[in-house]
Amino acid sequence: MWTSFSRERLDRAASAVREFGCSDAAECLAPGERRMLFVSGKQVAAKSLAGDTLWGVAVERAIADTDYVSSLQMAGRKVVLWNPNDAGQWTAAAELAPDVVMTDYPEEYRDWLANR
């Protein structure tokens, strides 16, 4: 699976924070909007997310491993792996079994998925 976020959507979220005076973007979300934590540099323990309303956790490829991805999924979070960008990295990502792969090359990734 692949996904991308439009610049327009990100700009809209930032504008809402400014316009409505929210202390953070989560306060400006409409009910039912999904929230995701981006994790980079160091893993955040899945148990520390208990009770949070996060939909998922976006994990930087460099810190992802099978145990970490599995622990987040067992805690009920979707795992988005970012940023594998070539066939070797996509192969390694597939072994981790994330729910979503976020790449800078979605068309090439789609082709890779179709031909593996």
Side-chain angles (χ1 to χ4, degrees):
M1 175 180 243
W2 64 275
T3 191
S4 64
F5 297 94
S6 71
R7 181 70 192 167
E8 178 185 332
R9 183 168 182 161
L10 294 172
D11 288 344
R12 224 176 28 238
S15 294
V17 171
R18 286 189 301 271
E19 182 178 339
F20 297 109
C22 304
S23 63
D24 66 41
E27 290 181 15
C28 291
L29 293 174
E33 280 284 331
R34 295 178 177 173
R35 291 180 44 234
M36 183 167 50
L37 174 68
F38 278 75
V39 179
S40 176
K42 182 180 176 187
Q43 294 179 356
V44 174
K47 66 182 178 182
S48 72
L49 303 175
D52 200 312
T53 59
L54 291 171
W55 169 81
V57 179
V59 179
E60 179 185 20
R61 177 183 52 85
I63 64 168
D65 61 44
T66 305
D67 290 339
Y68 188 48
V69 170
S70 177
S71 70
L72 292 168
Q73 290 168 330
M74 288 174 38
R77 303 297 184 263
K78 298 291 184 188
V79 176
V80 178
L81 186 67
W82 62 281
N83 215 12
N85 283 324
D86 63 40
Q89 293 173 359
W90 296 327
T91 298
E95 293 171 5
L96 298 176
D99 299 289
V100 177
V101 169
M102 186 174 8
T103 179
D104 291 333
Y105 305 100
E107 291 178 18
E108 291 86 343
Y109 178 60
R110 238 182 313 186
D111 292 344
W112 177 83
L113 283 173
N115 294 310
R116 67 180 179 143

